[in-house]
Amino acid sequence: MSPLPAPPARPAPALPTEQVPHRVRGRLVTVDEPLRLGSGGRRAAAQVRFLRECQSHDLVVRWFPATDDPLFTGPAREVSATAGLLRHLPAPAPLPGEPPALAEWRERHAYGQLYHRNGPDFVTVMDRRDPSAAARFTIEDPDLLAAFRTLQDATAVAGLDATGREAVDLLAGERLARVTDGWGVALPPRIRRWPVPCTDI
């Protein structure tokens, strides 16, 4: 009996490079500079997009928040709200004196807490960031769907038309997008593997 063939090697994922210098070794991504997710604007939106894409590929990410970032230094209530919104993304590495919300982010993070899957003319989203209020969404309205797809990249909301801006507001209201200082980004990663080993979608 001949041995079973080796499983095909997975190609290295193409990760966005804007605003996030990093190194990839196997499944480990090491970010070379502190991230400023709490600072808002284009930079923060691009960094959230980067972490979202890492989560989409189920990669392990080692990153630190900047110690002068509002995510690290801001009022406890705001830090907790931001950490809760982003809990589905890879959590920051521990730092001395960090807010308790960042430690909770690490403890509660798991692959598959928030994700989306693409259909031909719709997107389904599963949100389990808060286990007591899990929700499933189907985005099929053309304007909402267009906005969701636009927000796969960091996007200046002011550059959208009135319909697009209204759609972004609706997505942000459902915690499916984050808008800070005029820049928006979609939050649910596209899931590529079920949260079970060796199972592809």
Side-chain angles (χ1 to χ4, degrees):
M1 176 184 278
S2 59
L4 293 173
R10 282 184 181 274
L15 298 173
T17 57
E18 181 191 18
Q19 306 288 345
V20 187
H22 64 278
R23 293 167 283 133
V24 181
R25 184 173 181 178
R27 288 187 58 245
L28 175 64
V29 179
T30 302
V31 178
D32 294 329
E33 297 176 359
L35 300 186
R36 299 182 55 82
L37 302 187
S39 60
R42 178 180 181 177
R43 183 177 183 182
Q47 292 175 349
V48 167
R49 177 189 178 222
F50 174 84
L51 292 177
R52 186 196 70 205
E53 292 306 299
C54 289
Q55 185 69 5
S56 176
H57 292 281
D58 193 20
L59 298 173
V60 177
V61 185
R62 182 169 175 79
W63 69 274
F64 293 92
T67 55
D68 61 345
D69 184 5
L71 184 62
F72 197 85
T73 63
R77 185 171 166 184
E78 292 179 17
V79 173
S80 182
T82 301
L85 185 68
L86 303 179
R87 185 173 290 133
H88 64 291
L89 299 177
L95 281 176
E98 69 180 5
L102 299 189
E104 183 181 354
W105 182 352
R106 279 191 300 278
E107 292 165 7
R108 295 185 59 183
H109 171 74
Y111 180 72
Q113 287 180 330
L114 175 69
Y115 61 84
H116 82 269
R117 296 182 69 190
N118 286 320
D121 295 307
F122 65 91
V123 164
T124 58
V125 178
M126 174 60 76
D127 185 358
R128 296 182 181 137
R129 285 170 292 183
D130 180 354
S132 66
R136 184 188 303 270
F137 302 87
T138 300
I139 303 173
E140 54 190 349
D141 174 83
D143 296 327
L144 283 175
L145 190 58
F148 183 82
R149 290 181 170 156
T150 296
L151 291 176
Q152 295 307 300
D153 294 319
T155 301
V157 177
L160 304 176
D161 61 19
T163 301
R165 292 193 299 272
E166 182 180 0
V168 168
D169 286 344
L170 289 170
L171 292 170
E174 294 294 344
R175 295 166 41 94
L176 302 181
R178 182 177 187 229
V179 179
T180 57
D181 296 342
W183 283 80
V185 64
L187 294 177
R190 179 186 170 205
I191 197 167
R192 299 168 193 272
R193 295 170 62 85
W194 286 117
V196 176
C198 304
T199 305
D200 287 351
I201 292 179

